[in-house]
Amino acid sequence: MYEYVIIGGGIVGLATAMDVGKKHPKASVLVLEKEQDLAQHQTGRNSGVIHSGIYYKPGSLKATFAREGNRSMIEFCREHGIKHDVCGKVIVATKASELPLLDSLFQRGLDHGLAVARLAPEQAQEIEPHVRCVGGIKVPATGIVNYREVSAKYVELIKSQGGTVQTGTRVDRLREVNGIQVIETPHGEFEAGFVINCAGLFSDRMARFGGLDPGAKIIPFRGDYYEFVPEKRYLVRTLVYPVPNPDFPFLGVHFTRMIDDSVHAGPNAVLAFKREGYCKTDINCADLFETLTFPGFWKLARKHYREGIMEMMRSVSKRGFVKSLQQLIPEITEGDLVPTNSGVRAQALMPDGKLVDDFLIVNGRNSIHVCNAPSPAATASLEIGRFIANHLPEVTPAPRRDSHFQS
Ligand SMILES: Cc1cc2nc3c(=O)[nH]c(=O)nc-3n(C[C@H](O)[C@H](O)[C@H](O)COP(=O)(O)OP(=O)(O)OC[C@H]3O[C@@H](n4cnc5c(N)ncnc54)[C@H](O)[C@@H]3O)c2cc1C
């Protein structure tokens, strides 16, 4: 039997396993991941931004974890020699009507204690010469990194602490027998004193397997990206973001210089017809049925159908996507961009149609379920892991029962 089993080998599960191992050095820790490799889903398909925390509501877990996470992620990268760059970013308003929102974002940055600077259009252009705007904010604390590399380092540290990371092992069911969590997989059963569910796009289903109703359903939102052809990368020096729609948890299509020096544009946010569906044509009938029969989905759709249609159009039409980007950098043309890998966000939605804005971590009996860990969870992974490890009970080791796998 393992004292702690973590389900999901994305950045949140791995950071959690690392911290649980640190906090309970004598305990046995196991990570189970269904894919043959780690960090294959949200963690390996994101913008690679180390967020500053400027966007998030004061007092929310997101705000605290992002601010602390920005510092801890940069420190972690420095300590372990992971390539990263604290290059800063600019957020720009392209119309006068966006200026009040830009100003309140600036104020929020100050409230969070960030060294933000309000920029006149010419100042924004000194940083990003190809941007056209009516005002901007410079956020120096923002950085870039490859979160797959960060995850690989977490794995190394988990193993050096004596933990086990097992890939290719999908968890199909959880049940409790005499206070022990029995984890069913196609390769046999595992036993755990305590289970931590970090299954990302499947975290709500995993919670239900464990007999817990998280109160929210994961709705998958695909984000498509384009990449600049190498000769046009000069159009973006660092990171350029629009003023976000305050009703949405997504930040709007933006430009990101990645740590490998490529420049990405995106992501948009469209309903995915499959939880891990990265192509526009990917459909899983069970996933889609679950979304379409959830009352919260229709309430959300009724409220935001205009934005939804816009996003769908941007998804099917490169011209539409480029038109949005031209609001920030007018000289971009369709020929400057080629499609690149998309990602799917696990976004929790409540039955009343409200998108869960904050991280949602639900306690079960002998289990914890991370049921909403959207952006900036990669930035904040060390903080989420620490938070969970600090909230775990001591688990008394019980005698091992026969199980298919041993540590
Ligand atoms: C398009 C996009 C852009 C983003 N940009 C940023 C950014 O710039 N900065 C930032 O901080 N955050 C960003 N995010 C958010 C960030 O990537 C995620 O919040 C973070 O990666 C979540 O990590 P996770 O471990 O919870 O999920 P995941 O990385 O999805 O990992 C969950 C794991 O659980 C496994 N799993 C699922 N079901 C089972 C099962 N039954 N048995 C075993 N294993 C299972 C999956 O295979 C997967 O490996 C972005 C996300 C997306 C999608």
Side-chain angles (χ1 to χ4, degrees):
M1 180 181 127
Y2 292 87
E3 269 100 12
Y4 299 102
V5 171
I6 291 97
I7 301 169
I11 200 162
V12 172
L14 295 171
T16 302
M18 191 171 71
D19 233 81
V20 170
K22 243 188 253 164
K23 195 140 201 300
H24 303 276
K26 294 208 177 105
S28 49
V29 175
L30 169 70
V31 178
L32 293 176
E33 165 56 48
K34 68 177 163 55
E35 305 295 346
Q36 294 303 331
D37 211 344
L38 299 153
Q40 295 298 296
H41 293 290
Q42 296 177 91
T43 302
R45 293 171 162 271
N46 60 36
S47 300
V49 176
I50 306 175
H51 285 293
S52 65
I54 186 170
Y55 298 107
Y56 313 116
K57 231 184 253 162
S60 62
L61 282 178
K62 259 190 185 178
T64 314
F65 288 177
R67 266 196 336 267
E68 296 298 317
N70 175 280
R71 273 192 281 275
S72 53
M73 181 56 68
I74 291 168
E75 206 179 293
F76 184 86
C77 292
R78 280 190 191 132
E79 189 184 337
H80 294 284
I82 297 168
K83 192 173 174 198
H84 67 290
D85 185 7
V86 186
C87 53
K89 79 169 177 183
V90 290
I91 304 170
V92 294
T94 55
K95 324 188 237 307
S97 59
E98 291 173 348
L99 286 173
L101 277 173
L102 189 77
D103 285 329
S104 52
L105 202 55
F106 176 61
Q107 186 54 48
R108 188 167 275 186
L110 294 176
D111 294 344
H112 285 323
L114 294 170
V116 285
R118 184 73 168 79
L119 304 172
E122 332 58 88
Q123 291 172 307
Q125 277 185 325
E126 273 168 32
I127 302 168
E128 291 290 346
H130 300 276
V131 162
R132 291 291 168 275
C133 66
V134 294
I137 304 173
K138 163 93 182 157
V139 189
T142 304
I144 48 173
V145 71
N146 180 339
Y147 284 112
R148 281 188 198 220
E149 280 176 28
V150 175
S151 301
K153 183 52 76 176
Y154 289 175
V155 173
E156 219 180 286
L157 295 172
I158 293 166
K159 289 184 177 167
S160 71
Q161 290 166 180
T164 307
V165 177
Q166 185 158 320
T167 55
T169 310
R170 189 188 67 232
V171 174
D172 284 334
R173 200 148 290 280
L174 293 172
R175 57 178 210 278
E176 201 176 308
V177 180
N178 299 330
I180 291 173
Q181 296 277 350
V182 180
I183 301 161
E184 296 177 20
T185 80
H187 312 293
E189 291 183 348
F190 296 82
E191 293 179 347
F194 200 92
V195 164
I196 306 164
N197 160 18
C198 301
L201 282 148
F202 291 96
S203 55
D204 57 339
R205 281 194 201 159
M206 194 59 64
R208 285 189 190 96
F209 288 165
L212 193 90
D213 178 6
K217 185 171 288 297
I218 293 290
I219 303 294
F221 284 97
R222 198 185 62 250
D224 303 310
Y225 287 95
Y226 284 89
E227 187 180 351
F228 277 70
V229 293
E231 328 63 280
K232 289 300 179 108
R233 287 178 183 168
Y234 71 88
L235 288 172
V236 178
R237 285 183 178 166
T238 57
L239 288 80
V240 182
Y241 281 65
V243 176
N245 176 344
D247 294 334
F248 272 119
F250 312 126
L251 301 178
V253 289
H254 50 262
F255 299 100
T256 314
R257 182 166 286 272
M258 310 293 279
I259 198 68
D260 66 359
D261 235 23
S262 60
V263 176
H264 287 195
N268 57 351
V270 283
L271 177 70
F273 302 146
K274 184 178 177 193
R275 289 202 181 200
E276 290 169 350
Y278 299 105
C279 297
K280 294 181 180 104
T281 49
D282 281 349
I283 296 185
N284 177 296
C285 293
D287 289 352
L288 188 57
F289 181 79
E290 219 184 301
T291 299
L292 297 181
T293 53
F294 184 58
F297 172 73
W298 292 105
K299 289 178 187 146
L300 178 79
R302 257 197 301 279
K303 193 163 162 221
H304 293 295
Y305 71 93
R306 270 200 202 90
E307 290 93 339
I309 291 169
M310 275 285 295
E311 290 288 348
M312 299 273 269
M313 279 166 54
R314 265 206 304 222
S315 170
V316 293
S317 151
K318 184 176 182 186
R319 183 180 295 175
F321 201 100
V322 172
K323 229 170 143 186
S324 304
L325 299 174
Q326 283 168 336
Q327 290 179 15
L328 301 168
I329 300 183
E331 66 197 90
I332 288 174
T333 65
E334 283 184 54
D336 298 343
L337 298 165
V338 288
T340 187
N341 290 343
S342 55
V344 178
R345 307 169 183 87
Q347 174 61 53
L349 178 69
M350 299 302 282
D352 64 3
K354 286 206 180 88
L355 292 164
V356 179
D357 192 36
D358 210 353
F359 296 132
L360 178 64
I361 300 173
V362 183
N363 286 309
R365 235 171 72 85
N366 302 331
S367 58
I368 287 183
H369 304 262
V370 180
C371 290
N372 197 46
S375 186
T379 303
S381 51
L382 289 164
E383 301 306 315
I384 300 174
R386 219 186 317 274
F387 177 85
I388 294 174
N390 285 341
H391 285 80
L392 289 183
E394 283 289 342
V395 173
T396 324
R400 241 176 226 278
R401 234 178 51 149
D402 270 355
S403 69
H404 192 85
F405 289 104
Q406 306 279 303
S407 61

